[in-house]
Amino acid sequence: MPETDLPLDELRRYLPDRQEPADFDAFWSATLAEARGHDRPAEFTPYDARLSEVRVYDVRFPGFGGDPVAGWLLVPAAARTPRPCVVGYLGYGGGRGFPYEWLTWPAAGYVHLLMDTRGQGGSLQPGATGDPHGSAGSSSPGMVTRGIQQPADYYYRRVFTDAVRAVDAARSHPAVDSERIAVAGGSQGGGIALAAAALADGVRAAVVDQPSLCHYRRALAVVEGNAYREIWTYLRTHRDQVEQVFDTLSYFDGVNFAARATAPALFAVGLMDEICPPSTVFAAYNHYAGRKDIRVWPYNRHEGGGQHQVVHHLDFMRAVLGEAG
């Protein structure tokens, strides 16, 4: 497959103007204040996963609107003092699945809180979190255009709020060193991690692999895959709502979150990615306000570095958070 986007030297310089609404910060400040008004404590129920080296907890914490959001908390069984924690977010369509699928971070000595994504989990891994809010207007099949007519109603307002509350939940557990919390994800999860890095308190590090939900206009101009397909399908039908839709998306653009995130970050990109085009990844990366690095995989699609990227994750977390044990 040929490269789908700009040459690498142009990508490294690619710094598009950001479409940012004047009330962006006020919008998110009010959203998170409302969510934290639902101050029910997170619940961590011991779960028998038949794992001798990891303690597993079935998690429920209050997310957007106080809605219960599921997750898994995995704690190294050998931990006797609080450990650094990696809060993880999932790719589009996947749910929290089973604890056995998420053993890399606890095997390396970190506590790992994996957040279920509301309303998803019907493909890939199964999920356990509903989205009771539905859609305020019409939408194309999938989740990405639900409520897209207005920022207050948009689906990712709820998801990004859940992501911040997941960090709050992790910080509340006694096994977690509250001063050493990182966020991580790929694809949709990378976009969510960018939002959490900007919005959550005290995030120390971010791993952002092949993020989606970034630089929407560019994405829709160069690819038609996966989540972005849902947006152009909607706009193909609702021809009179183009600017209205992009106004809503500007409140949820990873490029705008990147400009506010200051924790050290490790990005990754596949130069043949036909789902999250490289220019959209570099738009977020080049606007990122904190210390940063990016791993470039020239011959890979949306899988990016795959398992080859994991060693970079581990080295990065060790460098930023210190030894886990």
Side-chain angles (χ1 to χ4, degrees):
M1 175 172 175
E3 292 182 0
T4 60
D5 210 331
L6 302 173
L8 181 57
D9 60 339
E10 293 184 33
L11 291 170
R12 293 193 184 279
R13 300 191 303 269
Y14 186 63
L15 193 71
D17 292 338
R18 293 187 293 115
Q19 179 185 349
E20 181 185 300
D23 64 341
F24 183 96
D25 293 316
F27 173 85
W28 281 108
S29 179
T31 294
L32 296 177
E34 190 280 332
R36 287 184 169 127
H38 301 275
D39 58 356
R40 185 175 70 256
E43 299 174 2
F44 302 92
T45 305
Y47 179 88
D48 183 8
R50 285 79 168 174
L51 298 172
S52 62
E53 303 305 312
V54 179
R55 300 197 304 273
V56 179
Y57 299 86
D58 186 353
V59 179
R60 294 294 185 281
F61 65 88
F64 178 88
D67 301 334
V69 178
W72 295 117
L73 185 78
L74 294 88
V75 180
R80 296 293 179 266
T81 57
R83 298 282 183 95
C85 177
V86 179
V87 179
Y89 308 108
L90 295 162
Y92 188 51
R96 68 173 184 164
F98 301 95
Y100 334 105
E101 301 176 78
W102 315 110
L103 296 179
T104 298
W105 291 118
Y110 299 91
V111 178
H112 183 39
L113 190 150
L114 181 81
M115 185 188 89
D116 206 19
T117 309
R118 64 168 61 223
Q120 298 186 36
S123 60
L124 304 176
Q125 307 96 343
T129 304
D131 182 26
H133 301 272
S135 179
S138 62
S139 60
S140 57
M143 309 300 291
V144 181
T145 60
R146 292 193 177 189
I148 203 167
Q149 297 82 10
Q150 297 292 334
D153 299 327
Y154 189 43
Y155 170 71
Y156 281 103
R157 180 182 182 224
R158 303 189 287 278
V159 173
F160 291 174
T161 301
D162 294 346
V164 173
R165 296 294 281 146
V167 173
D168 295 343
R171 185 172 281 115
S172 74
H173 195 277
V176 172
D177 180 344
S178 63
E179 299 299 317
R180 294 192 291 167
I181 295 179
V183 295
S187 192
Q188 173 189 252
I192 298 172
L194 269 177
L199 296 173
D201 297 331
V203 170
R204 286 281 305 278
V207 165
V208 184
D209 289 347
Q210 300 86 241
S212 65
L213 312 175
C214 294
H215 199 16
Y216 291 95
R217 285 187 189 268
R218 173 68 181 176
L220 267 66
V222 296
V223 298
E224 59 179 87
N226 207 9
Y228 294 124
R229 173 185 290 271
E230 297 176 26
I231 300 173
W232 70 249
T233 297
Y234 181 87
L235 292 176
R236 186 176 61 190
T237 304
H238 298 273
R239 297 169 175 84
D240 58 338
Q241 294 185 23
V242 172
E243 293 309 315
Q244 179 182 349
V245 163
F246 281 115
D247 178 69
T248 292
L249 292 173
S250 68
Y251 289 85
F252 307 93
D253 192 329
V255 174
N256 291 334
F257 291 118
R260 290 166 166 79
T262 58
L266 177 64
F267 283 68
V269 63
L271 293 188
M272 295 185 179
D273 193 336
E274 73 281 25
I275 293 176
C276 296
S279 56
T280 67
V281 176
F282 272 95
Y285 176 75
N286 290 335
H287 275 291
Y288 194 86
R291 179 163 57 87
K292 61 197 175 187
D293 195 5
I294 188 167
R295 295 289 178 267
V296 177
W297 303 96
Y299 296 101
N300 288 95
R301 300 185 182 184
H302 194 51
E303 77 281 1
Q307 294 305 306
H308 290 271
Q309 184 71 11
V310 174
V311 68
H312 298 293
H313 294 168
L314 296 172
D315 287 344
F316 170 74
M317 286 301 183
R318 181 180 297 166
V320 176
L321 299 182
E323 292 291 339

